[in-house]
Amino acid sequence: RIAALRDAVEVLALLAGLPPVAVLRPPPGGGGAATVTGPRGPSGSRVLDRVRALLAKAESTTFPAEAEAFTGKAQELIARHSLERALVESTAAHPDQPGGVRISTDAPYAGAKALLVQEVAAANRCESVWSDDLGFATVLGFPADLEAVELLHTSLLVQATAAMLRGRRERRGGGRRTKAYDEAFLHAFALRIGERLRAATDAADRQATQDAGADRLLPVLAARSGAVRERMDTLFPGVTRARLTVRDAEGWQSGTSAADRASLAGSAPPSRPLPGRR
């Protein structure tokens, strides 16, 4: 009996010390509607099929500029699809509501992986919060945007890892692995890819604004952005910011070139905050 009581106390102490986890949807049997729904209708499936095909081509090519072109086209399709969904949902009787997904950021290079999640999320009108103590990032947004983030992040992580391994082989000293080089490479890759994705989204926004009219589209986007931000403030009221440090200039330059070799010759690493969690 004494041993059982001791074990029970140890379990309770362990549970009490675990960090809190935001509830993204009601647990089974808890009642209420789930906050995340999948794409509705055949149009979404066709668009996502085309996106998957483009990303598969980006992953299979060994030419960075070609991978950039495929990934940029995929983001363009995603952005247009998101805008179409936003306009449709704005007049729906039961519109989509912001939800969330969790994306693993396990070691090694967890911070760099979280940065990639953040950049992809920002380009697709989502918010990202990294729970470094739990090993994942939570992405909040509308259903179609969340699915886009998951698709793009998975593909870009594959591309970044392959490019990093090629960069090791090409660097001075052969394929010797160093943590500082790898981290700097992945940080630079994530930031430059984020710039390219946002550029594709901005281009789609400008075209959609011309087609649908600013008076119709901009209020819808503003309302959706506010809803996502409100959801984030509700689930993560104690969000803080952490800074990632780049310690290898060669890794930074190689990662930047891998993300956009066709148009970028190199740059100094900026100081970029990464959302974290208290």
Side-chain angles (χ1 to χ4, degrees):
R1 181 178 296 178
I2 292 175
L5 287 173
R6 183 172 59 247
D7 291 343
V9 170
E10 289 177 352
V11 170
L12 290 174
L14 175 63
L15 294 175
L18 292 176
V21 179
V23 179
L24 300 183
R25 64 186 72 188
T35 58
V36 180
T37 58
R40 292 184 296 216
S43 176
S45 298
R46 287 196 299 271
V47 170
L48 293 178
D49 286 344
R50 292 177 62 189
V51 168
R52 291 187 184 98
L54 287 167
L55 293 177
K57 292 179 180 179
E59 293 168 27
S60 62
T61 182
T62 58
F63 299 101
E66 193 174 50
E68 275 293 320
F70 287 133
T71 304
K73 182 62 176 177
Q75 177 62 36
E76 182 183 337
L77 289 175
I78 285 171
R80 288 208 305 262
H81 176 56
S82 174
L83 293 170
E84 291 169 0
R85 280 290 299 272
L87 290 172
V88 170
E89 290 295 323
S90 67
T91 58
H94 301 285
D96 287 338
Q97 297 299 320
V101 296
R102 293 190 174 103
I103 298 177
S104 173
T105 57
D106 53 349
Y109 317 124
K113 292 176 181 177
L115 181 60
L116 181 60
V117 175
Q118 173 188 287
E119 292 297 305
V120 176
N124 289 278
R125 299 184 179 85
C126 294
E127 296 281 353
S128 173
V129 178
W130 180 34
S131 301
D132 55 335
D133 49 352
L134 296 174
F136 58 72
T138 302
V139 182
L140 303 173
F142 283 83
D145 299 331
L146 293 175
E147 189 159 8
V149 169
E150 289 187 289
L151 278 174
L152 280 166
H153 170 264
T154 300
S155 175
L156 288 170
L157 186 58
V158 170
Q159 294 180 54
T161 302
M164 181 183 70
L165 295 176
R166 288 196 299 271
R168 282 187 199 166
R169 293 192 294 269
E170 295 169 0
R171 70 181 301 205
R172 294 186 298 272
R176 183 172 57 88
R177 171 183 179 273
T178 66
K179 181 178 180 180
Y181 173 87
D182 290 352
E183 284 186 332
F185 187 104
L186 294 174
H187 289 162
F189 187 98
L191 289 174
R192 187 53 179 157
I193 283 292
E195 292 176 2
R196 294 298 300 269
L197 295 181
R198 286 191 294 274
T201 299
D202 291 343
D205 287 354
R206 288 192 295 270
Q207 184 61 49
T209 300
Q210 292 178 6
D211 296 341
D215 292 343
R216 182 185 177 200
L217 181 62
L218 295 184
V220 171
L221 295 180
R224 288 167 73 90
S225 178
V228 172
R229 188 71 198 185
E230 182 179 355
R231 179 77 171 155
M232 179 178 173
D233 292 340
T234 300
L235 294 178
F236 300 99
V239 168
T240 59
R241 298 225 168 219
R243 293 190 179 277
L244 300 179
T245 304
V246 176
R247 297 185 176 88
D248 191 294
E250 184 184 359
W252 178 268
Q253 292 170 357
S254 297
T256 302
S257 297
D260 192 7
R261 187 170 294 173
S263 62
L264 190 62
S267 62
S271 175
R272 180 66 173 263
L274 178 72
R277 209 176 144 265
R278 265 200 200 111

